[in-house]
Amino acid sequence: KISDYNHAIKAFKELKKMRAVEKVLIQEKVDGAEIIVNISKNENFGYVASVGIGGEYAKIIKDASFRVIPATKDEIKSMLSELKAWNAVKMTNRISIDQLSEEILKIGKFSMNKKIKQLKIDPLICKKDNFIAVDVKLIL
């Protein structure tokens, strides 16, 4: 985390000294609940969605919920509700389960329409009614 301009320049110079560093990406740090969303094509079931709690909770809790998609909004809401830490994360970050379910449905539809083998967002930062995909892995 960079505190000011001078700190950024110093950090950039340190990164440039590293051998394999060709580029440096700078992005704003975004706070919020971290959710892992994965849509993948399975030989037996077709497309499957999985969600899990991300961030520091992921290593402690290690749980995920799965659904075959296309799914309904209620099925996605149920999938989120099955996560062990969901209530704590939802309350702390004031996440709308309705809006998050809609986002997951859109991600699933996009994956199916584009015939994507895997789309993994880790993490999807959730802030009340705003969702930001930070890292995305896409396999065509």
Side-chain angles (χ1 to χ4, degrees), residues 70-105:
T72 66
K73 186 175 177 179
D74 285 339
E75 289 171 321
I76 300 298
K77 286 168 62 173
S78 175
M79 182 171 66
L80 289 166
S81 298
E82 290 171 5
L83 298 172
K84 295 173 188 170
W86 172 249
N87 283 333
V89 170
K90 178 180 72 169
M91 300 268 210
T92 305
N93 295 280
R94 297 187 183 126
I95 300 169
S96 165
I97 193 169
D98 286 320
Q99 289 179 319
L100 179 55
S101 298
E102 284 291 332
E103 292 301 313
I104 294 170
L105 284 172

Side-chain angles (χ1 to χ4, degrees), residues 3-111:
S3 57
D4 59 33
Y5 178 78
N6 290 331
H7 187 199
I9 296 299
K10 183 179 176 183
F12 178 74
K13 287 179 181 177
E14 289 297 315
L15 286 170
K16 281 181 61 175
K17 291 178 187 176
M18 299 172 100
R19 266 193 155 164
V21 175
E22 293 180 24
K23 297 179 182 181
V24 176
L25 172 68
I26 299 172
Q27 69 183 52
E28 177 184 0
K29 183 178 185 317
V30 181
D31 292 320
E34 295 184 25
I35 305 292
I36 299 169
V37 178
N38 187 56
I39 309 292
S40 56
K41 187 166 185 183
N42 179 285
E43 290 179 17
N44 298 318
F45 299 106
Y47 281 92
V48 177
S50 66
V51 296
I53 302 298
E56 58 196 55
Y57 295 112
K59 292 172 181 66
I60 298 166
I61 299 171
K62 295 182 182 176
D63 78 316
S65 184
F66 300 86
R67 291 293 185 280
V68 173
I69 56 173
T72 66
K73 186 175 177 179
D74 285 339
E75 289 171 321
I76 300 298
K77 286 168 62 173
S78 175
M79 182 171 66
L80 289 166
S81 298
E82 290 171 5
L83 298 172
K84 295 173 188 170
W86 172 249
N87 283 333
V89 170
K90 178 180 72 169
M91 300 268 210
T92 305
N93 295 280
R94 297 187 183 126
I95 300 169
S96 165
I97 193 169
D98 286 320
Q99 289 179 319
L100 179 55
S101 298
E102 284 291 332
E103 292 301 313
I104 294 170
L105 284 172
K106 288 177 192 175
I107 294 165
K109 286 178 186 174
F110 173 80
S111 297

